[in-house]
Amino acid sequence: DQQVKQNSPSLSVQEGRISILNCDYTNSMFDYFLWYKKYPAEGPTFLISISSIKDKNEDGRFTVFLNKSAKHLSLHIVPSQPGDSAVYFCAASARGSGGGADGLTFGKGTHLIIQP
Amino acid sequence: ETGVTQSPTHLIKTRGQQVTLRCSSQSGHNTVSWYQQALGQGPQFIFQYYREEENGRGNFPPRFSGLQFPNYSSELNVNALELDDSALYLCASRGGLAGGNTGELFFGEGSRLTVL
């Protein structure tokens, strides 16, 4: 049973527009959520995170929104740039940013393609 | 400051064999964890090591084992390889206290294992 779901395997967005990546979770014990970005032949790279006590966190072009009642989070990228083309993984933890002894629970990822 | 490095990058084994994958943690990081990423899936937590002891484990059988050395480098050993063990194996390190809430994970590029 998948506890973290990314229902869109891929997303195509025009350069300069907003990219919105969605993630749903089922485990109410999750209290920390992260987004990782992965290029081919590289390991995942931490992008942005949010604690369950917040509903929004912003870092430059990247903003993550958390809706706890809906168990839903989204990553907004504005404006989208060609270098943003990558696979984006949503991850969740019941033990803080590193996952603690339970590790992080990842979704399957969304392949974002930024078109010129 | 060097990042997380893994070796080998690619390897091929046959069913029933044993494999050892290696990881050097990022400088100053005392906690290392291993993840398995099967094709089309997100990374799945295998286990975590802190101060040379396993202190967290995901849903993987005992034939998946590990070691952490005094210099915080780590090994993942898989015995009696099965076809389904074919995957990208990711090592990740972080600082902070084991089980604590600090420190995002920094991932290596991974070791791609193919089992024939």
Side-chain angles (χ1 to χ4, degrees):
Chain A
D1 180 35
Q2 266 195 293
Q3 297 186 65
V4 177
K5 300 179 183 178
Q6 294 178 257
N7 292 320
S8 297
S10 66
L11 175 67
S12 184
V13 175
Q14 206 162 9
E15 182 180 356
R17 298 287 185 103
I18 182 171
S19 295
I20 301 176
L21 294 90
N22 293 304
C23 178
D24 298 293
Y25 63 96
T26 58
N27 188 341
S28 300
M29 298 301 292
F30 288 146
D31 63 359
Y32 209 91
F33 304 90
L34 307 93
W35 286 93
Y36 278 82
K37 176 179 176 179
K38 187 178 186 301
Y39 293 117
E42 294 185 11
T45 303
F46 169 73
L47 189 59
I48 192 170
S49 62
I50 188 167
S51 164
S52 60
I53 62 174
K54 296 184 177 181
D55 55 17
K56 176 183 174 181
N57 188 27
E58 194 171 353
D59 183 2
R61 297 187 297 116
F62 303 92
T63 303
V64 57
F65 296 92
L66 175 62
N67 183 335
K68 284 181 60 180
S69 61
K71 293 190 175 68
H72 176 84
L73 63 154
S74 60
L75 173 68
H76 293 211
I77 306 173
V78 182
S80 300
Q81 298 175 355
D84 296 331
S85 294
V87 177
Y88 289 78
F89 290 101
C90 172
S93 166
R95 294 198 190 203
S97 60
D102 295 333
L104 296 177
T105 301
F106 284 83
K108 291 185 177 183
T110 296
H111 186 193
L112 176 64
I113 302 163
I114 305 302
Q115 296 188 335
Chain B
E1 181 183 87
T2 56
V4 178
T5 57
Q6 294 186 239
S7 63
T9 54
H10 295 81
L11 70 167
I12 299 173
K13 293 284 187 178
T14 56
R15 194 170 46 182
Q17 284 189 312
Q18 179 265 345
V19 68
T20 297
L21 307 177
R22 294 179 174 82
C23 171
S24 292
S25 302
Q26 183 158 322
S27 177
H29 286 183
N30 56 15
T31 303
V32 65
S33 51
W34 285 88
Y35 286 78
Q36 180 196 66
Q37 186 182 4
L39 196 62
Q41 305 293 315
Q44 189 173 357
F45 176 64
I46 303 175
F47 45 54
Q48 175 179 277
Y49 276 79
Y50 172 69
R51 290 189 174 177
E52 303 174 52
E53 289 198 5
E54 181 183 305
N55 72 339
R57 190 175 186 94
N59 188 25
F60 280 81
R63 60 189 186 83
F64 285 78
S65 63
L67 285 172
Q68 186 185 29
F69 300 100
N71 65 354
Y72 304 135
S73 64
S74 174
E75 285 182 359
L76 164 65
N77 299 289
V78 187
N79 293 322
L81 284 167
E82 301 176 359
L83 297 180
D84 285 349
D85 296 333
S86 294
L88 180 67
Y89 288 85
L90 294 162
C91 173
S93 71
R94 66 179 176 92
L97 297 175
N101 295 334
T102 59
E104 280 80 20
L105 293 177
F106 291 83
F107 285 86
E109 295 181 357
S111 294
R112 183 163 297 282
L113 171 66
T114 302
V115 182
L116 302 176

